[in-house]
Amino acid sequence: MLDALEQFAPLPLQESWDNAGLQIGLTEAEVSGALLCLDVTPDVIEEAVRRGCNLVVSHHPLLFRGLKQVADQNDVQRVVRMAIKQDIAIVSMHTNMDNARDGVNWKIAEKLGLTDVDFFARKTVGDISCGSGVTGLLRQPKEALKFIEQVKQTFGVECAQCNEVLQRPVRKVAICGGAGDFLLDEAIAQGADAFLTGEMHYHVFFGHEQEIQICVIGHYQSEQFTSEVFRDIIERECPGVKCCIAETKTNPIVYI
């Protein structure tokens, strides 16, 4: 199963600072079931045990930095102890899945019903064409406010952070799931009418009034459908393996 995931989103596609791939466990272990999630928390491990899954596939890596101890100081240490004790393997597909064709950003585009989807800020790793974001077209131009409402409804968000509402229709949409403000200038250069991402720094919003419609919906919310990408890969390449999309909601941000 690890081979199937890494063939779809090869590890060399990940950013230099990332730590995708096997986090905990043995690659030769027989999979009883795979629990698919965005983040690995103690509650996710408990759900895996409850649902008979000995593999957790997450988008965000559990281990970003080296551990100096494995005790009970924080959630990462607790998850490591729980996973080892329960013989649960953890695999993370992070920026390699962001950068892969048909990966995270393509799923966001699919949810919005975009056509003509392709990478922007394209790069080549080895002989693989990839990119940190995608652009696509709405089937029909849409008023900016109606586009924002469509995004809110599609991703189940209570509110979106936006700049001044664009006074022209939105047709071309640029997408970067998660933290995407590093791609805003490239989205503008590509002629996008709107830029959809999960989070952006405050100062990046300035100076783009009537240039592009910025729509920021939350990191978790933007990437919440990544588990569907994992499910489709596993069901296609590893038929017969039980796949469960996690019911545990791991977003640590509460809107009050």
Side-chain angles (χ1 to χ4, degrees):
M1 183 180 297
L2 182 58
D3 287 344
L5 291 166
E6 291 186 2
Q7 284 175 10
F8 183 93
L11 292 181
L13 298 188
Q14 70 180 308
E15 303 297 333
S16 60
W17 48 263
D18 201 5
N19 187 40
L22 181 67
Q23 307 278 293
I24 294 174
L26 303 175
T27 56
E28 64 269 20
E30 184 175 348
V31 178
S32 63
L35 185 70
L36 316 175
C37 61
L38 197 63
D39 310 283
V40 191
T41 65
D43 287 344
V44 167
I45 298 299
E46 289 179 359
E47 181 179 348
V49 173
R50 187 172 66 251
R51 299 179 74 174
C53 298
N54 66 348
L55 172 64
V56 171
V57 180
S58 72
H59 182 44
H60 297 140
L62 173 68
L63 303 175
F64 266 117
R65 303 169 185 87
L67 291 176
K68 295 192 175 181
Q69 63 178 198
V70 180
D72 200 29
Q73 301 274 325
N74 54 49
D75 272 1
V76 173
Q77 293 183 19
R78 283 186 281 275
V79 167
V80 171
R81 292 178 66 247
M82 292 171 69
I84 292 173
K85 186 175 181 180
Q86 297 292 340
D87 204 19
I88 291 174
I90 298 174
V91 170
S92 300
M93 297 281 112
H94 191 211
T95 53
N96 54 321
M97 189 62 72
D98 290 330
N99 289 331
R101 179 171 293 275
D102 296 323
V104 176
N105 295 308
W106 298 70
K107 176 58 70 171
I108 296 170
E110 175 191 315
K111 292 294 181 179
L112 289 172
L114 302 186
T115 64
D116 300 319
V117 178
D118 204 355
F119 294 119
F120 76 102
R122 183 187 296 272
K123 53 191 174 184
T124 302
V125 177
D127 59 352
I128 303 171
S129 181
C130 60
S132 299
V134 301
T135 58
L137 302 178
L138 293 169
R139 295 184 186 279
Q140 296 294 332
K142 187 170 290 191
E143 292 178 12
L145 196 57
K146 289 184 178 179
F147 168 73
I148 294 167
E149 290 299 326
Q150 177 191 351
V151 170
K152 289 172 62 178
Q153 182 176 11
T154 300
F155 294 90
V157 300
E158 301 170 45
C159 61
Q161 291 182 312
C162 304
N163 61 343
E164 181 179 273
V165 175
L166 198 66
Q167 297 304 307
R168 68 171 190 270
V170 170
R171 180 76 194 283
K172 187 173 185 178
V173 181
I175 294 169
C176 180
D181 57 13
F182 69 101
L183 283 179
L184 178 61
D185 289 342
E186 183 64 25
I188 293 168
Q190 292 289 327
D193 302 304
F195 180 62
L196 174 63
T197 190
E199 57 178 290
M200 273 184 34
H201 290 89
Y202 169 77
H203 292 283
V204 182
F205 281 84
F206 281 96
H208 302 294
E209 296 80 9
Q210 300 308 313
E211 183 175 40
I212 192 168
Q213 181 65 67
I214 297 170
C215 186
V216 179
I217 60 174
H219 197 123
Y220 176 92
Q221 289 87 341
S222 70
E223 297 182 327
Q224 63 185 291
F225 300 114
T226 302
S227 293
E228 295 183 9
V229 180
F230 298 152
R231 179 198 60 198
D232 294 345
I233 297 167
I234 294 169
E235 288 184 346
R236 181 176 63 249
E237 302 297 333
C238 308
V241 172
K242 179 175 71 174
C243 282
C244 307
I245 292 179
E247 297 170 351
T248 302
K249 303 302 180 187
T250 59
N251 188 3
I253 298 172
V254 178
Y255 296 88
I256 298 175

